[in-house]
C-alpha cells in the first residue's frame, strides 16, 4: 500500500480521524480520545501492516498531554497516531504487546510527564534515576526546578 492508499483506508474506516499526508511516506492523524486511538492502532497493526514502533513523543498542551506514537511499515512509511489525555488524569494503556520497542518510550512518558501506563511491564525507571522525587515531572510546563537549585 502506498501513502495515499493508507490515508484513504484510515479515513474510510475512521471518518473522525482526519488522517493526512503532508508529504510522501509520512502520515499524520488528528488527536483522538483513548477509545478511538486503541481502535486505530489495532487497525494500523493488523490491517495496514504497521508492525514497527519507532517512538512516542509527549507534549504538554496546557490542560492535556499529547502523545504521538510513531509507527512504520516494511516500506518505511511513517504513521503518527496521536492521542490526547487530560493532564488531571493522564492514563493510557501500554502498547508493549503489539510494539515491544515502545516500552522504554512508555517509561519516559511515566517519568517525564506523569502519564500512568496500565499494563506496563515491571522494570526500572527510565530515564530518571530511582532517587528522583515522586510527583516531579520535568517536561510539564508547570514544573518548577527550584527544588534542584537549592544550595547545600
Amino acid at each position: 500500500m502506498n501513502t495515499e492508499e493508507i490515508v484513504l483506508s484510515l479515513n474510510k474506516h475512521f471518518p473522525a480521524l482526519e488522517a493526512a499526508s503532508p508529504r510522501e511516506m509520512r502520515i499524520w492523524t488528528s488527536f483522538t480520545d483513548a477509545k478511538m486511538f486503541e481502535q486505530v492502532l489495532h487497525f494500523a497493526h493488523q490491517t495496514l501492516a504497521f508492525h514497527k514502533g519507532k517512538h512516542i513523543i509527549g507534549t504538554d498542551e496546557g490542560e492535556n498531554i499529547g502523545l504521538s506514537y510513531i509507527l512504520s511499515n516494511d516500506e518505511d512509511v511513517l504513521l503518527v497516531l496521536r492521542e490526547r489525555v487530560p493532564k488531571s488524569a493522564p492514563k493510557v494503556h501500554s502498547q508493549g504487546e503489539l510494539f515491544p520497542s515502545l516500552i522504554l518510550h512508555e517509561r519516559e512518558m511515566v517519568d517525564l510527564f506523569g502519564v500512568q501506563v496500565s499494563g506496563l511491564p515491571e522494570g526500572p525507571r527510565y530515564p530518571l534515576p530511582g532517587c528522583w522525587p515522586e510527583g516531579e515531572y520535568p517536561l510539564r510546563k508547570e514544573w518548577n526546578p527550584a527544588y534542584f537549585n537549592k544550595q547545600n
Side-chain angles (χ1 to χ4, degrees), residues 2 4 13 83-84:
N2 66 32
E4 184 179 325
H13 287 88
E83 177 179 19
R84 187 176 279 145

Side-chain angles (χ1 to χ4, degrees), residues 98-127:
L98 288 179
F99 304 100
S101 59
L102 293 182
I103 290 173
L104 279 179
H105 302 288
E106 290 174 338
R107 291 191 196 290
E108 287 179 351
M109 295 302 106
V110 172
D111 268 8
L112 302 177
F113 287 97
V115 174
Q116 296 174 19
V117 182
S118 66
L120 185 62
E122 290 288 325
R125 292 186 71 168
Y126 180 80

Side-chain angles (χ1 to χ4, degrees), residues 77-96:
V77 174
L78 293 181
L79 172 61
V80 181
L81 297 178
R82 301 176 344 159
E83 177 179 19
R84 187 176 279 145
V85 295
K87 193 185 284 186
S88 60
K91 298 176 184 178
V92 299
H93 296 288
S94 175
Q95 301 306 324

Side-chain angles (χ1 to χ4, degrees), residues 29-124:
T29 68
S30 58
F31 281 103
T32 68
D33 61 21
K35 183 178 178 182
M36 179 187 271
F37 176 81
E38 294 275 336
Q39 293 171 348
V40 175
L41 187 77
H42 286 274
F43 179 80
H45 185 266
Q46 295 167 351
T47 305
L48 302 177
F50 281 86
H51 297 291
K52 302 172 190 172
K54 297 291 190 177
H55 196 54
I56 303 172
I57 298 170
T59 53
D60 183 335
E61 301 181 357
E63 299 291 317
N64 299 302
I65 301 290
L67 300 169
S68 298
Y69 291 69
I70 302 173
L71 312 174
S72 71
N73 62 13
D74 289 338
E75 290 78 36
D76 292 324
V77 174
L78 293 181
L79 172 61
V80 181
L81 297 178
R82 301 176 344 159
E83 177 179 19
R84 187 176 279 145
V85 295
K87 193 185 284 186
S88 60
K91 298 176 184 178
V92 299
H93 296 288
S94 175
Q95 301 306 324
E97 277 191 36
L98 288 179
F99 304 100
S101 59
L102 293 182
I103 290 173
L104 279 179
H105 302 288
E106 290 174 338
R107 291 191 196 290
E108 287 179 351
M109 295 302 106
V110 172
D111 268 8
L112 302 177
F113 287 97
V115 174
Q116 296 174 19
V117 182
S118 66
L120 185 62
E122 290 288 325

